[in-house]
Amino acid sequence: MEGKKRLVYVCEGGDCSERGSIELHAELADALHEKDGAGKNRLRKYPCFGGCEHGINVVLFPDKVFYSQVKMADLPEIVEHLTGDGQPLERLTGKVAKDVEQIVWDLLDTGF
Amino acid sequence: MALLLTRPEGATTESLAEHLAAGGYEALAKARAGSQEELIALVRDSDLRGRGGAGFPVARKWEIGRAALAETKHVVVNGGEHEPGSRKDRFLVAKTPHKVLEGAAICAYATGATSIVLYLIEDMTDAIDAARKAIDEATASGHLAGLSIRVALAPTTYVAGEETAALEVIEGRKPWPRKKPPYPGQAGLYGQPTTVQNVETLAWIPGIVTHGAAWFKPGAMLCTLDDSFARPGIHEVPLGTTLRALVDEIGGGTRGGRPVKALLPALSSAFLPASALDTPMTHEAIRAAGSNLGCGGFSVIEEGACIVERAAQIADFFKASQCGQCPPCRMETATIATVFQRAAAGEPGEYAAQVEKIAAFTKGKGNCSLIEMAAAPALSALRLFPGDFDAHAKTGRCPTA
């Protein structure tokens, strides 16, 4: 049913939500509703990515892009990438440890 | 006849006079008349293990305390009995505070400590009152001369019972477990060597000193049976008792009268299936059967009851109880809780693989053992009762509802 949609996960864990991830999720939802007419993306919340000290964390799957320290100000560029052909925002990647990224990919591979 | 549980549930607190009439504080005098080494050897012969959950040999802990070089050393009596359902430590302090104090004073002698802190949860008002009164009585009578003894209050937060979280609280900070090493025996309270010992563990000591190691053997532990048993309450259970005898004879069987489906020795232990009921209750045998005795806060699940919902409750508890300090623990407890919420709601999914993966990733990470505690019941539920999960996934609801 998901087809080939990209899954966009926003962490709703303790640290990330304290940093405003719930509001960021809502803002992203509005932006995608407005700009993702083709329905390329499906937005979801995620319980915790284990990258708490680098929140807010946003993960794209199956692209396997792990964004950290995401701020509201980053959303326009993120949405542009999600809805167009732009590249991932490199400045937001590579902040969490590799093993943390890997367990997240392993879990997402199982459908979690 | 009970060796430790000498006071019935409804009894008043044992006074100093009653304690003395029963030979109280003679064990402390006897211990002090010998050497620290002799005392520790006696405790080693008794094979007493810590009753807080980890089962660490008491003599080894005392030897570490004795060998530590420092002017000031401490004993912390850990009454941070935060395990839901367990109330044996509270009972011991509330009913027989002098026995606990005497055990702590003997531990202080063995380790060379001059300071004792009784760490009790702030809502244990009966135990707190009894402890304060007993400290006043025994200090006035001179039985605890040379020792500085005080009560420190723990918050009700689950993780506050972890031994280094206890040290943090006593020092006036929030209950966050410390990174180890150093262990408390090396650098504990205020950076000084500290022997942290569970209440029940210390309560056993006067009897062992008075009557000898053979009196204690094969050993016994206090178990709190919750209301899933027909006869709930605190029971003194000789080690080696089979789990079947624990359930049927001591616990009076299951509350609903149906056969046992699974047994949970503590919330933080793995489920044991009915096929493990002939396992003798020893640390080694329970471990070999795939679980852990913990602090003996037993719960039984009867035939017809659903493991999925029970496992989901436990997972929610650990998610809410982790302290938030270590990201892997946050991630693991949140992941497991979500897995079981989905399973309970009947969403199909690779639940076993998900919990196995996150548990393998987080094992050994974090400052305390809560990570392993959350994984144990979750993994065992999935491994032992896959049918319950399948039934949830097929029908979208609990098959027993």
Side-chain angles (χ1 to χ4, degrees):
Chain A
M1 259 89 73
E2 295 288 328
K4 291 200 170 94
K5 283 180 195 291
R6 173 197 285 121
L7 297 170
V8 181
Y9 293 99
V10 177
C11 180
E12 60 170 351
D15 259 17
C16 287
S17 58
E18 277 176 26
R19 291 185 171 118
S21 70
I22 307 300
E23 294 77 7
L24 188 129
H25 177 275
E27 192 82 9
L28 189 52
D30 286 347
L32 287 176
H33 183 72
E34 190 183 321
K35 301 202 167 143
D36 189 18
K40 288 183 180 175
N41 302 278
R42 183 172 287 271
L43 184 61
R44 289 183 172 176
K45 290 177 183 167
Y46 197 90
C48 179
F49 287 118
C52 309
E53 62 273 48
H54 301 291
I56 298 171
N57 294 303
V58 175
V59 161
L60 314 184
F61 191 81
D63 317 44
K64 298 193 175 178
V65 172
F66 201 123
Y67 287 150
S68 301
Q69 297 170 5
V70 178
K71 308 271 191 305
M72 285 287 192
D74 298 312
L75 284 187
E77 283 177 86
I78 290 175
V79 172
E80 202 176 309
H81 166 232
L82 294 177
T83 57
D85 298 321
Q87 292 299 304
L89 282 68
E90 277 189 30
R91 68 172 186 277
L92 299 179
T93 61
K95 300 190 190 303
V96 299
K98 284 286 163 217
D99 64 335
V100 172
E101 280 199 18
Q102 191 55 51
I103 182 64
V104 169
W105 310 142
D106 288 350
L107 286 169
L108 288 173
D109 277 338
T110 67
F112 184 79
Chain B
M1 192 188 132
L3 303 177
L4 181 61
L5 216 51
T6 52
R7 208 107 177 136
E9 290 248 12
T12 54
T13 303
E14 186 183 56
S15 66
L16 176 62
E18 286 175 293
H19 185 63
L20 292 174
Y25 290 109
E26 286 174 16
L28 176 59
K30 185 177 173 185
R32 284 175 171 167
S35 69
Q36 292 171 307
E37 290 83 354
E38 285 168 335
L39 177 56
I40 294 172
L42 170 68
V43 173
R44 186 177 301 114
D45 285 348
S46 76
D47 198 26
L48 177 66
R49 318 279 183 93
R51 293 283 187 259
F56 192 80
V58 175
R60 208 183 302 162
K61 199 179 256 192
W62 288 18
E63 186 50 52
I64 292 166
R66 190 195 68 81
L69 297 173
E71 238 173 66
T72 306
K73 301 185 196 179
H74 307 269
V75 170
V76 170
V77 183
N78 192 354
E81 188 179 30
H82 292 80
E83 186 87 3
S86 183
R87 53 187 182 86
K88 61 177 178 95
D89 294 324
R90 175 181 188 158
F91 182 85
L92 286 170
V93 178
K95 301 298 179 190
T96 52
H98 285 288
K99 205 179 278 185
V100 177
L101 284 178
E102 187 172 3
I106 294 170
C107 173
Y109 174 69
T111 58
T114 52
S115 142
I116 297 173
V117 181
L118 254 82
Y119 181 69
L120 302 170
I121 306 175
E122 60 191 4
D123 65 0
M124 294 178 163
T125 46
D126 52 348
I128 294 165
D129 292 346
R132 286 187 170 141
K133 186 166 180 230
I135 291 169
D136 288 347
E137 284 178 324
T139 304
S141 67
H143 286 99
L144 298 175
L147 292 167
S148 146
I149 308 180
R150 68 184 174 100
V151 171
L153 300 185
T156 54
T157 324
Y158 179 76
V159 77
E162 196 273 345
E163 62 176 5
T164 59
L167 300 178
E168 286 290 294
V169 171
I170 296 168
E171 290 185 22
R173 289 185 291 274
K174 59 186 169 184
W176 276 16
R178 295 178 182 172
K179 196 170 171 56
K180 294 167 275 283
Y183 292 94
Q186 304 156 318
L189 207 50
Y190 310 111
Q192 293 155 339
T194 304
T195 306
V196 185
Q197 204 83 81
N198 161 264
V199 165
E200 182 197 337
T201 312
L202 290 171
W204 281 108
I205 294 293
I208 291 170
V209 171
T210 299
H211 305 292
W215 167 85
F216 181 64
K217 289 190 173 174
M221 68 183 279
L222 300 191
C223 297
T224 317
L225 309 188
D226 74 4
D227 60 9
S228 60
F229 291 86
R231 227 171 13 239
I234 304 166
H235 299 272
E236 182 177 317
V237 183
L239 293 183
T241 303
T242 64
L243 295 174
R244 191 182 302 283
L246 175 81
V247 174
D248 292 342
E249 291 162 32
I250 298 173
T254 61
R255 186 179 53 182
R258 287 190 288 269
V260 173
K261 176 173 178 171
L263 194 63
L264 198 58
L267 204 66
S268 50
S269 299
F271 287 97
L272 287 165
S275 58
L277 281 176
D278 290 317
T279 308
M281 222 183 76
T282 64
H283 293 282
E284 294 77 10
I286 299 292
R287 208 171 295 135
S291 189
N292 200 303
L293 265 180
C295 61
F298 278 88
S299 192
V300 66
I301 290 89
E302 39 189 289
E303 283 292 349
C306 180
I307 292 287
V308 179
E309 305 219 321
R310 186 82 173 99
Q313 287 167 359
I314 296 171
D316 284 345
F317 172 80
F318 281 114
K319 182 188 170 193
S321 300
Q322 55 86 24
C323 72
Q325 184 178 198
C326 307
C329 187
R330 292 174 170 198
M331 183 186 188
E332 185 206 50
T333 53
T335 302
I336 294 175
T338 303
V339 165
F340 283 110
Q341 281 159 12
R342 289 177 184 171
E347 289 178 37
E350 294 181 41
Y351 301 131
Q354 290 161 359
V355 175
E356 298 273 359
K357 279 179 195 297
I358 191 69
F361 172 68
T362 54
K363 191 173 170 58
K365 293 189 170 87
N367 285 1
C368 76
S369 56
L370 191 131
I371 278 186
E372 275 82 24
M373 292 177 178
L379 286 167
S380 58
L382 286 155
R383 287 172 187 163
L384 293 169
F385 303 103
D388 285 24
F389 290 87
D390 290 346
H392 261 264
K394 279 191 190 122
T395 64
R397 63 185 181 84
C398 184
T400 60

